[in-house]
Amino acid sequence: MIKPLIIRNKFNYDDNIMIRFLQAFFYPLLSAFLLAAGISNEVFSFGFPFAGLISLVPLYISLSQAKSFKTAGFRVSLVFGLVHILSSFWLANFGDYAIFTLGASAAAYFVAGFVFGQILYIPFFFSNKKANVLKEAAGLRPFASVLRILLFTSVWTFHEWFKSIGFLAYPWGTLIMTAYKWHFLTQIVSLTGTWGISFLFSMFSAVCGEGIYLLARYSRGTGAFAVPYARSYAYTAAACIILFCCSVCYGFYEVGKERTPVKTMDTILVQHNVDSWVTDNSKSVEIAIDLTRKAAKESKDKADLVVWSESILTYLLPDTYTLLEFFPEKSPLLPEIRKTGIPFLFGAPYTVSIEKLQFANSAVLLNPDATEADYYSKIQLVPFAEYVPYSDREWMRNFMQKIAGFSSGWIPGTRYTIFTIPIKAGGTVSFSAPICFEDAFPEVCKKLFQAGSEVFINLTNDSWSKTDSAEYQHFVIASYRALEYRTTLVRCTNSGMTAVVDPSGRILWSLPLFARDSGQVSIPIYEREMTVYAMLGDWLPITAAIFVALTYIAFFIRKKLKPTSF
């Protein structure tokens, strides 16, 4: 009698160790790998949506079995940090700034994960109390599973919004990026912003995770499938399916909707593909001029605009403007512009205050006669790479010089510039020029759209990343701006992805990555459409945050009044 009992107890002990290992490490690791696999990577260029759809299921199960807030925090911390490293590993190629772009950011995500993990754990903490387990088994808490699902979904949606706003914003590594290939689903961003994708995908994972959680309880004989309890879960799962079906139906409508451009703008896009860390600036400009000539020669019609990438010119404007009469020596820029008789838009540093040594990362438009028309300075700067807070203070300059070998950066722009050029077909086109990762920020593009932009023309230099996945990821997150505002998005980059995207997210034209090429493309301009998202902005994550806050307040008030109650 004793020996079999000893064997059985040993087996149970080992089994419990394995279960605890799965809950503590394997499930969070699995969630991190699934989410990273869903985002554009070196294997799946435009991502793997199904991986993103189920990526949070293991994390949900792991949280449901956590024994403390600290434990839950560490598990979510593992997911946040690993997803960032696995999906944004190419940040290590950002030269001397890698200590901040990858090192400091990864550390920040581990810390943020620990905080959000504890917020995510609150409904599980209450549900795992013995008294509440018994109540659920007896059918006295029929809506507990509904609350767990909705709270998990709302917190995750808020998290993806929160990490995408403000000075430290970085809207990469999200469920949003995994959905790109499902065009019939992503059309909802014109109603909800990209946060609708976060909500749908995290809700699906929560529904699946809750189902597994309930089955586990049922298998342990806790009676978790009491009729009222099972019914409320079934209704929630059905609501999730209905939301997906409605989103897909709306997507079919938007994709199939006939859109006729009100005008077109023939534009030469140049992808000069040079390593901006080591290539001489004159060489870059010479290559761009040759590619511009190539595109113009291949086209029958004269272009309305020539676009070059971000930071292609390193000479400060307007201070060194006259030097461009002779630079580069082989084909001076200003005479070349006059010769073509076409406006040029390109990236260059611009002097804000020479006395204070303040300069901005800018897009400059030159008229056909090579005079300056206007400029736009990048507003959303890369923290601690393009912009160093308090860089006007000596202590900060000394600190940054010691840590990273630099002590200052760009000054953020303050003006939402709208450029206007005439087109040969008659009339004018008004466009904006968000710079680099600004096309990943809905708020920046929203203000440009509200200022009167008819088309977004993004100038980007991601050549430093040296990886296809970095180029695809940037394109994917940027492409949603076309859907949100139902406008055309044009991207002109150093190395990729140079493309034209229509208001339903379809790629109309593109150049291959890391290829030295150019082309003249007729860019369709559509009548400006004031979408729900353009009018209401980030209503969904804000609503989710209010729901979470009010529910948690109610939890704690009720707990204080009735310590054994939910």
Side-chain angles (χ1 to χ4, degrees), residues 277-488:
W277 294 112
V278 298
T279 304
D280 178 71
N281 188 226
S282 62
K283 185 67 173 176
S284 297
V285 177
E286 287 175 1
I287 293 170
I289 288 174
D290 289 341
L291 290 172
T292 302
R293 290 172 177 169
K294 167 183 171 291
K297 185 177 180 180
E298 292 174 351
S299 177
K300 297 179 181 178
D301 300 320
K302 182 179 179 181
D304 296 308
L305 178 67
V306 174
V307 185
W308 293 353
S309 79
E310 173 197 19
S311 66
I312 188 171
L313 198 67
T314 58
Y315 281 105
L316 278 169
L317 296 179
D319 308 65
T320 60
Y321 177 79
T322 55
L323 292 178
L324 301 183
E325 293 284 0
F326 314 100
F327 173 87
E329 184 177 354
K330 179 181 177 182
S331 302
L333 180 58
L334 299 187
E336 182 68 24
I337 293 175
R338 296 189 191 101
K339 182 179 177 181
T340 63
I342 302 172
F344 270 59
L345 178 72
F346 54 82
Y350 203 92
T351 302
V352 176
S353 171
I354 193 65
E355 294 81 10
K356 297 180 180 180
L357 298 179
Q358 294 179 338
F359 312 102
N361 184 2
S362 302
V364 181
L365 178 67
L366 297 187
N367 293 314
D369 62 359
T371 59
E372 182 182 325
D374 208 344
Y375 74 97
Y376 166 76
S377 295
K378 188 177 181 182
I379 294 171
Q380 186 78 38
L381 297 173
V382 179
F384 297 102
E386 290 185 316
Y387 177 62
V388 180
Y390 304 107
S391 58
D392 58 335
R393 309 292 175 84
E394 185 177 357
W395 64 268
M396 176 57 83
R397 290 197 298 270
N398 292 339
F399 173 75
M400 295 300 295
Q401 189 66 41
K402 183 178 180 180
I403 295 297
F406 67 95
S407 59
S408 62
W410 301 115
I411 293 297
T414 58
R415 185 168 58 103
Y416 291 90
T417 306
I418 301 298
F419 301 100
T420 301
I421 62 169
I423 54 176
K424 59 180 178 292
T428 61
V429 170
S430 296
F431 64 90
S432 55
I435 299 171
C436 196
F437 81 154
E438 282 191 315
D439 62 0
F441 294 91
E443 189 60 27
V444 173
C445 292
K446 177 182 178 180
K447 290 180 179 178
L448 291 170
F449 180 79
Q450 291 175 336
S453 178
E454 295 180 282
V455 57
F456 296 134
I457 302 181
N458 169 253
L459 310 184
T460 286
N461 178 8
D462 286 338
S463 62
W464 54 268
S465 69
K466 301 179 181 179
T467 57
D468 289 359
S469 57
E471 314 295 327
Y472 284 123
Q473 286 175 21
H474 191 167
F475 170 79
V476 164
I477 198 68
S479 69
Y480 290 121
R481 305 295 82 80
L483 279 68
E484 285 171 344
Y485 304 103
R486 296 300 175 189
T487 189
T488 304

Side-chain angles (χ1 to χ4, degrees), residues 34 90 115 169 172 201 258 392 402 550:
L34 283 171
W90 39 266
V115 174
W172 270 249
F201 275 44
E258 184 176 350
D392 58 335
K402 183 178 180 180
L550 292 177

